[in-house]
Amino acid sequence: MDSVSVFENAARTAGASRALATEAVHAGRDDLARQGLHAPPIDLSTTYPSYDSRAEAARIDAFAADGADPAGGPVYGRLGNPTVARFETALARLEGTESAVAFASGMAALSAVLLARATAGLRHVVAVRPLYGCSDHLLTAGLLGTEVTWTDPAGIADALRPDTGLVLVESPANPTLAELDLRAVAHACGTVPLLADNTFATPVLQRPAELGARLVLHSATKYLGGHGDVLAGVVACDEEFAGQLRKIRFATGGVLHPLAGYLLLRGLSTLPVRVRAASTTAAELARRLAADPRVARVHYPRLGGAMIAFQVHADPHEVISRVRLITPAVSLGSVDTLIQHPASISHRVVHADDRRGAGVSDNLLRLSVGLEDVDDLWADLDRALGVL
C-alpha cells in the first residue's frame, strides 16, 4: 500500500465523525473556548487544597478500588494532572481507545503493563522479535519477575500458557521495520491481551486497537512529541486496563511531568502533517538507496512511514562518521533526520546471537527521516556512503 492510500484510509478516527487531522488539532482542547482560552494551560501544581477531608478520603478510596480518575478536582500530582490528562484524552481519541495513561518514559509505560499483569499472577509473556532493544532486555533479563517465550508470529498460539499475561509485538519493528499482520496476531492471542508497540507507525498510519490489540504502546518521546525535547511514554487501552495502570503509576511514581504533557499535546496537533511530509521524503530516499550499488539491502515498510533501515557494503561506522547534515544520534521521530547503528546503540543490550537472529545485522543502519529537503538529505547520504 502506498503512502497516499495509507493516509486516505486513516482519514477518520474510529467511531468519530471528525477526520484524524481535525482530532489531532482539537482533541484534549474542546473545553478551552468555553473557558476563554486558546492555548492549553500548564498546571504545575504537585498538590491541591481541599477543605473537605472526608470527601477527599472517599475519592482516594475510590481510586484505590478501580484506578478511575478521581471525581471532582485534582488531588495530588501522582494521582493525575490536568495538563497530562489533556494529552491522554487526545491520544486515546487518535488511537480509537477508551483511555490512555501517560508515563515518564516508554520503558516506564511498558514496565507498568508488565507489573499490572504480574499482580494478577500472570508473569509469562509471549513476544516476537525484533523489539526495541531495551524492551527485549527488560523481558529477557526478567528484571520485573517476568518469564518470556520468544516465538515467530505463527507460533504465538502454541506458546500461550495458563499464566500468560501478555503477548508483545512491534510493527513496524525496531530497527528492521519488519511488519506483522496484527489482526492475525490478535486472533492467535485468544483471550490474552495483545500489546502492540505503535511508536514507528503512529495512529496516523495504523491504529492497532482497530485490529484487535487491547493495548497500544508508544514511546511518546518519538513522533508524538516530534521535536526531540520531551521524554515520555503512553499506553492507549480500554478503561478497565487504564485503571490498573493508574494504580501502578501511583504506586511506583512513574508520572509524566506537566510540561512534558503540554509539549506532547502540542506535538499531536502537527503529527499528521509531520508524518505525511517525512514519509514522502523517506519513500523517495528508500527508492534511491535501493538503486545504489553501495547499499546491500533496503528495508522500508509497505505501510510507509518515516523510518528506513539499510545495509551497507562499507563499514557502517565510517558512514556515520561522514554525515554532516544528518545527525548521528539515538532516538527517532524528530523534525531533523537522525542516523544510528543499532547493533552498537539501540540493540547493544540484546545478545549478539539473538540480535542477528532477529535480522539486526552488523552492517545495518537506521535512518529516521525528518522534514529537511529530500535532495539535501540525499547529498549528505551520498557523501557519507563514499566510493564503492
Side-chain angles (χ1 to χ4, degrees), residues 328-346:
V330 299
S331 199
L332 56 105
S334 185
V335 291
D336 60 320
T337 299
L338 309 176
I339 192 170
Q340 66 123 306
H341 182 239
S344 296
I345 308 294
S346 63

Side-chain angles (χ1 to χ4, degrees), residues 309-327:
F310 60 101
Q311 295 165 249
V312 294
H313 292 297
D315 183 341
H317 301 285
E318 290 299 316
V319 175
I320 285 179
S321 73
R322 288 193 289 260
V323 295
R324 293 296 178 266
L325 175 64
I326 298 167
T327 302

Side-chain angles (χ1 to χ4, degrees), residues 77-89:
R78 200 147 40 84
L79 275 87
N81 171 272
T83 305
V84 172
R86 289 183 182 276
F87 163 66
E88 292 171 330
T89 296

Side-chain angles (χ1 to χ4, degrees), residues 26-102:
H26 290 278
R29 306 167 181 83
D30 300 282
D31 64 324
L32 293 180
R34 294 192 299 274
Q35 298 184 58
L37 299 173
H38 183 240
I42 306 176
D43 187 332
L44 295 173
S45 296
T46 57
T47 192
Y48 301 85
S50 172
Y51 293 95
D52 188 343
S53 57
R54 293 185 182 87
E56 193 91 330
R59 291 200 294 156
I60 292 174
D61 286 347
F63 176 84
D66 58 16
D69 284 323
V75 178
Y76 182 59
R78 200 147 40 84
L79 275 87
N81 171 272
T83 305
V84 172
R86 289 183 182 276
F87 163 66
E88 292 171 330
T89 296
L91 193 276
R93 291 265 284 275
L94 294 183
E95 283 288 5
T97 60
E98 290 180 332
S99 302
V101 183

